[in-house]
Short mmCIF file of all heavy atoms in Angstrom, two decimals:
data_model
loop_
_atom_site.label_atom_id
_atom_site.label_comp_id
_atom_site.label_asym_id
_atom_site.label_seq_id
_atom_site.Cartn_x
_atom_site.Cartn_y
_atom_site.Cartn_z
N MET A 1 23.96 34.69 18.07
CA MET A 1 22.94 33.79 17.82
C MET A 1 23.51 32.80 16.79
O MET A 1 24.13 33.14 15.73
CB MET A 1 21.77 34.45 17.12
CG MET A 1 20.65 33.46 16.71
SD MET A 1 19.41 34.10 15.59
CE MET A 1 18.40 35.12 16.51
N ASP A 2 23.36 31.52 17.16
CA ASP A 2 23.95 30.47 16.34
C ASP A 2 22.83 29.91 15.36
O ASP A 2 21.94 29.19 16.01
CB ASP A 2 24.46 29.34 17.17
CG ASP A 2 25.78 29.83 17.95
OD1 ASP A 2 26.47 30.62 17.33
OD2 ASP A 2 26.04 29.35 19.07
N THR A 3 22.80 30.16 14.13
CA THR A 3 21.91 29.70 13.20
C THR A 3 22.51 28.60 12.36
O THR A 3 23.52 28.76 11.79
CB THR A 3 21.46 30.74 12.24
OG1 THR A 3 20.97 31.90 13.03
CG2 THR A 3 20.28 30.34 11.38
N PRO A 4 21.89 27.47 12.36
CA PRO A 4 22.50 26.44 11.62
C PRO A 4 22.24 26.61 10.12
O PRO A 4 21.25 27.12 9.69
CB PRO A 4 21.71 25.10 12.02
CG PRO A 4 20.44 25.61 12.48
CD PRO A 4 20.78 26.94 13.03
N ILE A 5 23.35 26.37 9.35
CA ILE A 5 23.30 26.56 7.94
C ILE A 5 23.36 25.22 7.39
O ILE A 5 24.30 24.35 7.63
CB ILE A 5 24.49 27.38 7.43
CG1 ILE A 5 24.45 28.72 8.05
CG2 ILE A 5 24.63 27.50 5.95
CD1 ILE A 5 25.65 29.53 7.89
N ILE A 6 22.37 24.83 6.41
CA ILE A 6 22.28 23.61 5.81
C ILE A 6 22.92 23.87 4.45
O ILE A 6 22.39 24.52 3.62
CB ILE A 6 20.91 23.09 5.72
CG1 ILE A 6 20.31 22.86 7.11
CG2 ILE A 6 20.85 21.78 5.00
CD1 ILE A 6 18.85 22.58 7.16
N ALA A 7 23.98 23.15 4.22
CA ALA A 7 24.69 23.10 2.86
C ALA A 7 24.00 21.96 2.00
O ALA A 7 23.43 21.06 2.48
CB ALA A 7 26.21 22.90 3.10
N LYS A 8 24.17 22.20 0.62
CA LYS A 8 23.66 21.31 -0.27
C LYS A 8 24.16 19.91 -0.04
O LYS A 8 23.54 18.86 -0.19
CB LYS A 8 23.75 21.70 -1.70
CG LYS A 8 23.16 21.01 -2.64
CD LYS A 8 23.24 21.60 -4.05
CE LYS A 8 22.36 20.89 -5.00
NZ LYS A 8 22.40 21.41 -6.35
N GLU A 9 25.55 19.92 0.38
CA GLU A 9 26.14 18.56 0.50
C GLU A 9 25.71 17.75 1.81
O GLU A 9 25.81 16.63 1.89
CB GLU A 9 27.65 18.77 0.70
CG GLU A 9 28.30 19.30 -0.71
CD GLU A 9 28.16 20.86 -0.77
OE1 GLU A 9 28.06 21.56 0.34
OE2 GLU A 9 28.19 21.29 -1.90
N MET A 10 25.23 18.43 2.73
CA MET A 10 24.74 17.93 3.91
C MET A 10 23.36 17.19 4.00
O MET A 10 22.98 16.45 4.70
CB MET A 10 24.72 18.91 5.11
CG MET A 10 26.07 19.40 5.47
SD MET A 10 26.06 20.77 6.69
CE MET A 10 25.23 19.92 7.99
N VAL A 11 22.54 17.63 2.89
CA VAL A 11 21.20 17.18 2.83
C VAL A 11 21.21 15.74 2.14
O VAL A 11 21.75 15.61 1.05
CB VAL A 11 20.31 18.12 1.99
CG1 VAL A 11 18.91 17.49 1.85
CG2 VAL A 11 20.22 19.38 2.73
N GLU A 12 20.70 14.75 2.78
CA GLU A 12 20.69 13.45 2.18
C GLU A 12 19.19 13.00 1.93
O GLU A 12 18.32 13.26 2.68
CB GLU A 12 21.20 12.46 3.24
CG GLU A 12 22.65 12.63 3.46
CD GLU A 12 23.23 11.56 4.42
OE1 GLU A 12 22.56 10.43 4.41
OE2 GLU A 12 24.25 11.72 5.14
N VAL A 13 19.08 12.41 0.78
CA VAL A 13 17.75 12.07 0.42
C VAL A 13 17.62 10.53 0.46
O VAL A 13 18.29 9.78 -0.24
CB VAL A 13 17.37 12.54 -1.08
CG1 VAL A 13 15.99 12.10 -1.40
CG2 VAL A 13 17.53 14.07 -1.13
N ASN A 14 16.92 10.02 1.51
CA ASN A 14 16.74 8.64 1.62
C ASN A 14 15.39 8.27 1.24
O ASN A 14 14.41 8.48 1.96
CB ASN A 14 16.95 8.32 3.03
CG ASN A 14 18.38 8.49 3.45
OD1 ASN A 14 19.29 8.31 2.63
ND2 ASN A 14 18.69 8.76 4.76
N VAL A 15 15.12 7.76 0.12
CA VAL A 15 13.85 7.43 -0.48
C VAL A 15 13.81 5.80 -0.54
O VAL A 15 14.72 5.18 -1.15
CB VAL A 15 13.56 7.95 -1.86
CG1 VAL A 15 12.23 7.45 -2.42
CG2 VAL A 15 13.61 9.47 -1.79
N ASP A 16 12.98 5.20 0.28
CA ASP A 16 12.72 3.82 0.25
C ASP A 16 11.79 3.42 -0.88
O ASP A 16 10.55 3.61 -0.79
CB ASP A 16 12.26 3.30 1.64
CG ASP A 16 12.22 1.88 1.75
OD1 ASP A 16 12.86 1.06 0.83
OD2 ASP A 16 11.67 1.24 2.71
N PHE A 17 12.42 2.81 -2.01
CA PHE A 17 11.56 2.52 -3.07
C PHE A 17 10.45 1.49 -2.81
O PHE A 17 9.28 1.77 -3.27
CB PHE A 17 12.43 2.05 -4.28
CG PHE A 17 11.68 1.76 -5.59
CD1 PHE A 17 11.33 2.88 -6.34
CD2 PHE A 17 11.46 0.46 -6.03
CE1 PHE A 17 10.61 2.66 -7.46
CE2 PHE A 17 10.77 0.35 -7.17
CZ PHE A 17 10.41 1.43 -7.98
N SER A 18 10.73 0.52 -2.04
CA SER A 18 9.68 -0.43 -1.81
C SER A 18 8.46 0.12 -0.90
O SER A 18 7.39 -0.27 -1.10
CB SER A 18 10.33 -1.69 -1.07
OG SER A 18 10.73 -1.28 0.19
N GLU A 19 8.85 1.08 0.04
CA GLU A 19 7.82 1.71 0.74
C GLU A 19 6.90 2.56 -0.11
O GLU A 19 5.71 2.64 0.03
CB GLU A 19 8.54 2.51 1.90
CG GLU A 19 7.52 3.13 2.89
CD GLU A 19 7.99 3.94 3.91
OE1 GLU A 19 9.25 3.57 4.23
OE2 GLU A 19 7.40 4.85 4.33
N GLU A 20 7.45 3.21 -1.13
CA GLU A 20 6.80 4.14 -1.94
C GLU A 20 5.79 3.30 -2.82
O GLU A 20 4.64 3.62 -3.05
CB GLU A 20 7.66 4.93 -2.83
CG GLU A 20 8.47 6.02 -2.07
CD GLU A 20 7.62 7.12 -1.48
OE1 GLU A 20 6.58 7.40 -2.08
OE2 GLU A 20 7.98 7.43 -0.36
N VAL A 21 6.40 2.25 -3.46
CA VAL A 21 5.51 1.30 -4.22
C VAL A 21 4.30 0.75 -3.45
O VAL A 21 3.22 0.61 -3.99
CB VAL A 21 6.37 0.34 -4.99
CG1 VAL A 21 5.57 -0.85 -5.60
CG2 VAL A 21 7.33 0.91 -5.90
N THR A 22 4.70 0.33 -2.23
CA THR A 22 3.58 -0.33 -1.43
C THR A 22 2.60 0.77 -0.97
O THR A 22 1.33 0.39 -1.04
CB THR A 22 4.31 -0.86 -0.02
OG1 THR A 22 5.26 -1.71 -0.42
CG2 THR A 22 3.21 -1.45 0.76
N SER A 23 3.02 1.94 -0.73
CA SER A 23 2.06 3.06 -0.46
C SER A 23 1.17 3.32 -1.52
O SER A 23 -0.01 3.53 -1.40
CB SER A 23 2.87 4.26 0.01
OG SER A 23 1.97 5.39 0.23
N PHE A 24 1.78 3.37 -2.84
CA PHE A 24 0.98 3.60 -3.98
C PHE A 24 0.00 2.52 -4.21
O PHE A 24 -1.20 2.77 -4.54
CB PHE A 24 1.92 3.79 -5.14
CG PHE A 24 1.16 3.99 -6.46
CD1 PHE A 24 0.51 5.18 -6.82
CD2 PHE A 24 1.01 3.01 -7.34
CE1 PHE A 24 -0.16 5.33 -7.96
CE2 PHE A 24 0.40 3.15 -8.52
CZ PHE A 24 -0.23 4.33 -8.87
N GLY A 25 0.41 1.24 -4.02
CA GLY A 25 -0.49 0.17 -4.14
C GLY A 25 -1.61 0.11 -3.26
O GLY A 25 -2.78 -0.10 -3.58
N MET A 26 -1.39 0.51 -2.02
CA MET A 26 -2.45 0.59 -0.96
C MET A 26 -3.49 1.76 -1.34
O MET A 26 -4.70 1.48 -1.22
CB MET A 26 -1.85 0.79 0.47
CG MET A 26 -0.93 -0.49 0.89
SD MET A 26 -2.06 -1.75 1.22
CE MET A 26 -2.69 -1.28 2.87
N MET A 27 -2.95 2.82 -1.81
CA MET A 27 -3.81 3.96 -2.00
C MET A 27 -4.66 3.66 -3.26
O MET A 27 -5.81 3.94 -3.29
CB MET A 27 -2.97 5.25 -2.28
CG MET A 27 -2.43 5.67 -1.08
SD MET A 27 -3.74 6.10 0.19
CE MET A 27 -3.50 7.92 0.28
N SER A 28 -4.08 2.98 -4.26
CA SER A 28 -4.84 2.71 -5.52
C SER A 28 -5.83 1.65 -5.20
O SER A 28 -7.03 1.61 -5.71
CB SER A 28 -4.00 2.33 -6.71
OG SER A 28 -3.18 1.25 -6.31
N GLY A 29 -5.54 0.73 -4.41
CA GLY A 29 -6.59 -0.37 -3.93
C GLY A 29 -7.68 0.25 -3.06
O GLY A 29 -8.78 -0.15 -3.29
N ALA A 30 -7.36 1.19 -2.24
CA ALA A 30 -8.41 1.86 -1.55
C ALA A 30 -9.44 2.62 -2.39
O ALA A 30 -10.57 2.63 -2.24
CB ALA A 30 -7.79 2.88 -0.50
N VAL A 31 -8.69 3.40 -3.36
CA VAL A 31 -9.55 4.21 -4.35
C VAL A 31 -10.45 3.21 -5.04
O VAL A 31 -11.67 3.57 -5.39
CB VAL A 31 -8.64 5.08 -5.26
CG1 VAL A 31 -9.44 5.62 -6.38
CG2 VAL A 31 -8.03 6.16 -4.44
N ALA A 32 -9.91 2.11 -5.62
CA ALA A 32 -10.74 1.12 -6.35
C ALA A 32 -11.79 0.52 -5.47
O ALA A 32 -12.96 0.32 -5.99
CB ALA A 32 -9.78 0.02 -6.85
N GLY A 33 -11.56 0.28 -4.18
CA GLY A 33 -12.63 -0.23 -3.28
C GLY A 33 -13.69 0.77 -3.08
O GLY A 33 -14.91 0.40 -3.09
N VAL A 34 -13.33 2.02 -2.85
CA VAL A 34 -14.35 3.11 -2.71
C VAL A 34 -15.24 3.08 -4.08
O VAL A 34 -16.46 3.27 -3.85
CB VAL A 34 -13.74 4.38 -2.36
CG1 VAL A 34 -14.71 5.59 -2.55
CG2 VAL A 34 -13.21 4.22 -0.92
N PHE A 35 -14.59 3.04 -5.23
CA PHE A 35 -15.35 3.24 -6.50
C PHE A 35 -16.31 2.08 -6.65
O PHE A 35 -17.39 2.25 -6.97
CB PHE A 35 -14.26 3.26 -7.50
CG PHE A 35 -14.86 3.21 -8.92
CD1 PHE A 35 -15.53 4.41 -9.41
CD2 PHE A 35 -14.89 2.20 -9.78
CE1 PHE A 35 -16.14 4.50 -10.67
CE2 PHE A 35 -15.52 2.22 -10.98
CZ PHE A 35 -16.12 3.47 -11.54
N ILE A 36 -15.86 0.80 -6.30
CA ILE A 36 -16.75 -0.27 -6.40
C ILE A 36 -17.90 -0.15 -5.36
O ILE A 36 -19.11 -0.51 -5.71
CB ILE A 36 -15.95 -1.59 -6.19
CG1 ILE A 36 -15.00 -1.80 -7.30
CG2 ILE A 36 -16.85 -2.83 -5.96
CD1 ILE A 36 -13.98 -2.81 -7.12
N ALA A 37 -17.60 0.22 -4.08
CA ALA A 37 -18.66 0.43 -3.22
C ALA A 37 -19.69 1.52 -3.64
O ALA A 37 -20.97 1.25 -3.47
CB ALA A 37 -18.04 0.80 -1.85
N VAL A 38 -19.28 2.57 -4.09
CA VAL A 38 -20.31 3.57 -4.66
C VAL A 38 -21.06 3.06 -5.78
O VAL A 38 -22.19 3.22 -5.91
CB VAL A 38 -19.42 4.83 -4.98
CG1 VAL A 38 -20.25 5.82 -5.75
CG2 VAL A 38 -18.88 5.58 -3.86
N LEU A 39 -20.43 2.31 -6.74
CA LEU A 39 -21.11 1.72 -7.78
C LEU A 39 -22.06 0.71 -7.29
O LEU A 39 -23.31 0.63 -7.93
CB LEU A 39 -20.22 1.08 -8.79
CG LEU A 39 -20.69 0.62 -10.10
CD1 LEU A 39 -21.29 1.80 -10.90
CD2 LEU A 39 -19.60 -0.03 -10.96
N ALA A 40 -21.82 -0.16 -6.39
CA ALA A 40 -22.77 -1.14 -5.93
C ALA A 40 -23.92 -0.41 -5.16
O ALA A 40 -25.05 -0.83 -5.32
CB ALA A 40 -22.11 -1.99 -4.82
N GLY A 41 -23.70 0.67 -4.44
CA GLY A 41 -24.78 1.46 -3.81
C GLY A 41 -25.69 2.10 -4.89
O GLY A 41 -26.90 1.99 -4.73
N ILE A 42 -25.12 2.51 -5.89
CA ILE A 42 -25.98 3.15 -6.99
C ILE A 42 -26.85 1.97 -7.60
O ILE A 42 -28.04 2.22 -7.93
CB ILE A 42 -25.05 3.88 -8.06
CG1 ILE A 42 -24.47 5.11 -7.45
CG2 ILE A 42 -25.88 4.20 -9.22
CD1 ILE A 42 -23.35 5.83 -8.29
N CYS A 43 -26.26 0.85 -7.88
CA CYS A 43 -27.02 -0.24 -8.45
C CYS A 43 -28.15 -0.66 -7.64
O CYS A 43 -29.27 -1.01 -8.01
CB CYS A 43 -26.03 -1.37 -8.89
SG CYS A 43 -24.99 -1.01 -10.19
N LEU A 44 -27.90 -0.75 -6.29
CA LEU A 44 -28.97 -1.13 -5.37
C LEU A 44 -30.02 -0.12 -5.37
O LEU A 44 -31.21 -0.49 -5.32
CB LEU A 44 -28.28 -1.32 -3.93
CG LEU A 44 -29.24 -1.76 -2.82
CD1 LEU A 44 -29.77 -3.04 -3.06
CD2 LEU A 44 -28.45 -1.67 -1.46
N ILE A 45 -29.74 1.16 -5.33
CA ILE A 45 -30.63 2.22 -5.20
C ILE A 45 -31.67 2.13 -6.55
O ILE A 45 -32.80 2.28 -6.45
CB ILE A 45 -30.16 3.61 -5.09
CG1 ILE A 45 -29.64 3.64 -3.66
CG2 ILE A 45 -31.15 4.69 -5.36
CD1 ILE A 45 -28.79 4.85 -3.36
N SER A 46 -30.93 1.85 -7.78
CA SER A 46 -31.68 1.85 -8.93
C SER A 46 -32.53 0.63 -9.00
O SER A 46 -33.73 0.60 -9.52
CB SER A 46 -30.74 1.84 -10.09
OG SER A 46 -29.92 0.60 -10.22
N ALA A 47 -32.12 -0.47 -8.37
CA ALA A 47 -32.95 -1.70 -8.41
C ALA A 47 -34.13 -1.53 -7.46
O ALA A 47 -35.33 -1.93 -7.70
CB ALA A 47 -32.07 -2.83 -8.00
N LEU A 48 -33.94 -0.75 -6.42
CA LEU A 48 -35.09 -0.43 -5.51
C LEU A 48 -36.05 0.40 -6.10
O LEU A 48 -37.30 0.30 -5.96
CB LEU A 48 -34.51 0.14 -4.20
CG LEU A 48 -33.95 -0.77 -3.15
CD1 LEU A 48 -33.21 -0.04 -1.95
CD2 LEU A 48 -34.99 -1.71 -2.50
N ILE A 49 -35.63 1.40 -6.91
CA ILE A 49 -36.54 2.27 -7.58
C ILE A 49 -37.22 1.56 -8.60
O ILE A 49 -38.43 1.66 -8.86
CB ILE A 49 -35.78 3.48 -8.22
CG1 ILE A 49 -35.28 4.29 -7.00
CG2 ILE A 49 -36.64 4.36 -9.10
CD1 ILE A 49 -34.31 5.46 -7.42
N SER A 50 -36.62 0.70 -9.50
CA SER A 50 -37.34 0.07 -10.60
C SER A 50 -38.26 -1.07 -10.24
O SER A 50 -39.32 -1.12 -10.89
CB SER A 50 -36.21 -0.46 -11.49
OG SER A 50 -35.53 -1.56 -11.00
N SER A 51 -37.87 -1.85 -9.20
CA SER A 51 -38.74 -3.05 -8.88
C SER A 51 -39.44 -2.86 -7.50
O SER A 51 -40.32 -3.58 -7.28
CB SER A 51 -37.97 -4.28 -8.98
OG SER A 51 -36.91 -4.38 -7.97
N GLY A 52 -38.87 -2.02 -6.60
CA GLY A 52 -39.54 -1.93 -5.36
C GLY A 52 -38.84 -2.79 -4.22
O GLY A 52 -38.19 -3.86 -4.63
N PRO A 53 -39.03 -2.49 -3.06
CA PRO A 53 -38.38 -3.29 -1.97
C PRO A 53 -38.94 -4.63 -1.70
O PRO A 53 -38.29 -5.56 -1.37
CB PRO A 53 -38.62 -2.43 -0.67
CG PRO A 53 -39.74 -1.44 -0.95
CD PRO A 53 -39.68 -1.25 -2.53
N VAL A 54 -40.18 -4.88 -2.00
CA VAL A 54 -40.81 -6.25 -1.85
C VAL A 54 -40.28 -7.21 -2.84
O VAL A 54 -39.83 -8.38 -2.61
CB VAL A 54 -42.33 -6.18 -1.84
CG1 VAL A 54 -42.99 -7.51 -1.85
CG2 VAL A 54 -42.83 -5.18 -0.79
N GLU A 55 -40.27 -6.80 -4.10
CA GLU A 55 -39.64 -7.60 -5.16
C GLU A 55 -38.11 -7.88 -4.90
O GLU A 55 -37.74 -8.91 -5.23
CB GLU A 55 -39.94 -7.00 -6.43
CG GLU A 55 -41.27 -7.07 -7.03
CD GLU A 55 -41.74 -8.61 -7.26
OE1 GLU A 55 -40.91 -9.38 -7.75
OE2 GLU A 55 -42.87 -8.94 -6.83
N MET A 56 -37.47 -6.87 -4.37
CA MET A 56 -36.11 -7.14 -4.17
C MET A 56 -35.87 -8.19 -2.99
O MET A 56 -35.00 -9.01 -3.08
CB MET A 56 -35.44 -5.76 -3.66
CG MET A 56 -35.24 -4.79 -4.79
SD MET A 56 -33.60 -4.97 -5.66
CE MET A 56 -32.49 -4.73 -4.33
N LEU A 57 -36.64 -8.10 -2.06
CA LEU A 57 -36.58 -9.08 -0.94
C LEU A 57 -37.05 -10.38 -1.41
O LEU A 57 -36.38 -11.40 -1.02
CB LEU A 57 -37.50 -8.66 0.30
CG LEU A 57 -37.49 -9.46 1.44
CD1 LEU A 57 -36.05 -9.51 2.10
CD2 LEU A 57 -38.52 -8.97 2.44
N ARG A 58 -38.07 -10.53 -2.24
CA ARG A 58 -38.48 -11.81 -2.69
C ARG A 58 -37.36 -12.45 -3.58
O ARG A 58 -37.03 -13.56 -3.62
CB ARG A 58 -39.69 -11.63 -3.67
CG ARG A 58 -40.32 -12.90 -4.06
CD ARG A 58 -41.65 -12.73 -4.88
NE ARG A 58 -42.68 -12.16 -3.95
CZ ARG A 58 -43.69 -11.34 -4.45
NH1 ARG A 58 -43.72 -10.94 -5.62
NH2 ARG A 58 -44.50 -10.99 -3.38
N GLY A 59 -36.73 -11.63 -4.48
CA GLY A 59 -35.60 -11.98 -5.31
C GLY A 59 -34.41 -12.46 -4.53
O GLY A 59 -33.75 -13.47 -4.79
N TYR A 60 -34.09 -11.87 -3.37
CA TYR A 60 -33.05 -12.20 -2.44
C TYR A 60 -33.34 -13.46 -1.93
O TYR A 60 -32.45 -14.38 -1.81
CB TYR A 60 -32.86 -11.08 -1.42
CG TYR A 60 -31.74 -11.40 -0.56
CD1 TYR A 60 -30.35 -11.20 -0.90
CD2 TYR A 60 -32.02 -11.74 0.75
CE1 TYR A 60 -29.42 -11.51 -0.11
CE2 TYR A 60 -30.92 -11.92 1.67
CZ TYR A 60 -29.69 -11.90 1.26
OH TYR A 60 -28.62 -12.18 2.13
N ILE A 61 -34.55 -13.81 -1.40
CA ILE A 61 -34.87 -14.94 -0.78
C ILE A 61 -34.87 -16.15 -1.74
O ILE A 61 -34.46 -17.16 -1.44
CB ILE A 61 -36.34 -14.95 -0.12
CG1 ILE A 61 -36.14 -13.96 1.22
CG2 ILE A 61 -36.79 -16.28 0.38
CD1 ILE A 61 -37.52 -13.59 1.78
N THR A 62 -35.35 -15.87 -2.94
CA THR A 62 -35.28 -16.77 -4.06
C THR A 62 -33.90 -17.20 -4.39
O THR A 62 -33.54 -18.37 -4.58
CB THR A 62 -35.96 -16.30 -5.27
OG1 THR A 62 -37.39 -16.01 -4.94
CG2 THR A 62 -36.07 -17.36 -6.39
N ALA A 63 -33.08 -16.27 -4.39
CA ALA A 63 -31.65 -16.53 -4.68
C ALA A 63 -30.96 -17.35 -3.56
O ALA A 63 -30.11 -18.24 -3.86
CB ALA A 63 -30.79 -15.19 -4.91
N LEU A 64 -31.34 -17.12 -2.31
CA LEU A 64 -30.68 -17.86 -1.29
C LEU A 64 -31.30 -19.29 -1.11
O LEU A 64 -30.49 -20.32 -1.00
CB LEU A 64 -31.00 -17.20 0.04
CG LEU A 64 -30.13 -15.93 0.39
CD1 LEU A 64 -30.59 -15.41 1.76
CD2 LEU A 64 -28.78 -16.17 0.29
N THR A 65 -32.59 -19.46 -1.29
CA THR A 65 -33.15 -20.75 -1.19
C THR A 65 -33.27 -21.59 -2.44
O THR A 65 -33.27 -22.80 -2.47
CB THR A 65 -34.56 -20.68 -0.61
OG1 THR A 65 -35.41 -19.83 -1.45
CG2 THR A 65 -34.53 -19.96 0.73
N GLY A 66 -33.35 -20.92 -3.62
CA GLY A 66 -33.51 -21.59 -5.02
C GLY A 66 -34.92 -21.87 -5.30
O GLY A 66 -35.26 -22.54 -6.23
N TYR A 67 -35.89 -21.48 -4.49
CA TYR A 67 -37.26 -21.61 -4.79
C TYR A 67 -38.07 -20.24 -5.18
O TYR A 67 -37.85 -19.29 -4.60
CB TYR A 67 -38.12 -22.18 -3.54
CG TYR A 67 -37.62 -23.49 -3.30
CD1 TYR A 67 -36.91 -23.83 -2.12
CD2 TYR A 67 -37.92 -24.66 -4.12
CE1 TYR A 67 -36.45 -25.15 -1.94
CE2 TYR A 67 -37.55 -25.96 -3.77
CZ TYR A 67 -36.72 -26.20 -2.64
OH TYR A 67 -36.41 -27.49 -2.41
#
């Protein structure tokens, strides 16, 4: 039986630094986006509870039209 033996000298570590930095940046941006989305959802729910859906709709229309 021929079993390959991997010596310490044969193992090469090829780490692409720019790929690692880009991957970290993308992951941290995704986490920040999810955090902002959850916070926006919580704020929307609290506004619906405190003022009601009719007042929210009236405020939205007022913000769009200015009247």
